[in-house]
Amino acid sequence: MPEARLAPTMPFVVEVQGETVAIPSRMYNEEPSADSERPPLVGTRQAILHCLYSRHSDGRVRQRHLEQIVTSGEPWVVPFVVQLAGEYVLEIIEAIGRSLPGLAVPGSAQRRLYGEFIARNPAFVARTERRVVSYWSCYHRWKYGAFGTYPGCVLLEAFRAAVVEQVGAQWPRHTPHPAGGAAQRNGTQWFTGCGICLTPWLL
């Protein structure tokens, strides 16, 4: 990897199959040129490189590298994908949804893979859910007037189905209900912010 122009930002920590993994929130290294890989990276080493560059400061770089790993069955790839589901680039969220059709299939390998990770990392996933709501409200509400129609919400519901199947019980919700009406059942107002706006929604 070329030298970074800036140090990577504070990592976030997740648990993967009983091991603690620290992942940079953002990194600023330029992408390596094809002729700089001698010999070319393959297999696990190449997947690790793609995972790291999925944390790049440039959204187009993140998307390019995500598309190389999102279908992976490696448990350590999952947190990189879930983190991107909670970010603001719509094209990345759509790419994740297209690439994980197994999340909609009961008993599939993808469902088990994501369900296990989510069950082990409830605080991380709750924070991701809140970010999805915030970025929808800040950047995408003009196009998706109802949260339930937003691709990020659709993806979260697929994650929810995976963890419910994994644990065999209901899972806490940190977003408005996609059906709308149920979200207003008790009239409690919550606030969530993406750093640019502070948006109230009813839970």
Side-chain angles (χ1 to χ4, degrees), residues 10-43:
M10 184 69 67
F12 59 92
V13 176
V14 293
E15 181 185 339
V16 178
Q17 295 190 332
E19 296 189 34
T20 300
V21 181
I23 298 172
S25 295
R26 282 284 181 266
M27 52 169 284
Y28 302 91
N29 305 67
E30 295 297 327
E31 293 176 279
S33 60
D35 59 0
S36 69
E37 298 178 10
R38 299 179 183 275
L41 296 177
V42 295

Side-chain angles (χ1 to χ4, degrees), residues 117-193:
F117 173 78
I118 293 167
R120 287 177 178 269
N121 295 275
F124 169 72
V125 176
R127 186 167 62 249
T128 301
E129 288 183 288
R130 295 185 179 105
R131 285 175 172 162
V132 170
V133 180
S134 291
Y135 286 127
W136 161 71
S137 186
C138 286
Y139 300 120
H140 305 296
R141 199 169 192 162
W142 64 271
K143 184 175 181 181
Y144 301 97
F147 180 65
T149 66
Y150 175 54
C153 175
V154 175
L155 186 55
L156 289 182
E157 290 305 306
F159 288 160
R160 177 177 301 281
V163 70
V164 166
E165 183 174 287
Q166 179 73 25
V167 303
Q170 291 301 307
W171 193 254
R173 178 180 295 279
H174 303 93
T175 67
H177 197 283
Q184 299 183 19
R185 63 186 180 276
N186 63 11
T188 302
Q189 193 172 52
W190 292 71
F191 291 85
T192 181

Side-chain angles (χ1 to χ4, degrees), residues 56-143:
H56 198 270
S57 59
D58 186 321
R60 288 165 294 190
V61 175
R62 293 199 298 277
Q63 183 173 354
R64 278 200 300 273
H65 291 277
L66 163 77
E67 289 171 348
Q68 301 301 314
I69 57 169
V70 64
T71 59
S72 172
E74 294 287 356
W76 46 266
V77 171
V78 174
F80 292 90
V81 177
V82 174
Q83 173 72 9
L84 284 167
E87 298 185 8
Y88 62 89
V89 180
L90 182 59
E91 292 81 2
I92 290 178
I93 295 170
E94 291 173 334
I96 295 171
R98 287 193 305 269
S99 301
L100 297 177
L103 289 178
V105 181
S108 71
Q110 280 185 344
R111 260 203 181 189
R112 292 193 301 273
L113 186 69
Y114 280 80
E116 179 185 1
F117 173 78
I118 293 167
R120 287 177 178 269
N121 295 275
F124 169 72
V125 176
R127 186 167 62 249
T128 301
E129 288 183 288
R130 295 185 179 105
R131 285 175 172 162
V132 170
V133 180
S134 291
Y135 286 127
W136 161 71
S137 186
C138 286
Y139 300 120
H140 305 296
R141 199 169 192 162
W142 64 271
K143 184 175 181 181

